[in-house]
Amino acid sequence: MVRIGKVLLKEAGSGISKNLLDILVCPLSKQPLRLCEETNSLISDAIGVSYPIKDGIPCLVPRDGKILEIEDDSDPAGSADSSTTK
């Protein structure tokens, strides 16, 4: 038990431990979460929601999640040209 405590304390300085990240899932989609170190948040790629990490504690309450803005790189003009080709 003491060894486990030492491992958890050692990993606590780096934010969320790898072991914890392996078991956390999105509360809405039940899919795995991805750590984003730039924004200090957990990302649910399945539904495009970001959950904040406050003082090393993930806030996985659905109302705390923020919808991510996804850039659409598709070119509508390019797809129109391919549909008109016979």
Side-chain angles (χ1 to χ4, degrees):
M1 187 69 158
V2 174
R3 289 182 182 172
I4 294 172
K6 287 181 181 180
V7 169
L8 291 175
L9 286 175
K10 183 179 178 182
E11 293 178 348
S14 63
I16 293 184
S17 72
K18 175 76 170 128
N19 294 334
L20 181 60
L21 191 58
D22 287 341
I23 61 172
L24 287 178
V25 296
C26 173
L28 299 173
S29 70
K30 309 298 188 248
Q31 297 299 313
L33 295 168
R34 171 177 56 90
L35 176 65
C36 179
E37 293 179 0
E38 290 178 14
T39 60
N40 194 32
S41 62
L42 295 171
I43 310 293
S44 173
D45 291 322
I47 59 173
V49 173
S50 171
Y51 297 98
I53 301 171
K54 297 178 183 174
D55 297 325
I57 301 169
C59 300
L60 298 177
V61 178
R63 70 169 182 245
D64 289 341
K66 295 181 182 172
I67 297 173
L68 298 174
E69 296 295 326
I70 300 173
E71 295 179 15
D72 188 12
D73 292 339
S74 63
D75 183 15
S79 60
D81 290 339
S82 62
S83 63
T84 57
T85 307
K86 292 184 182 179

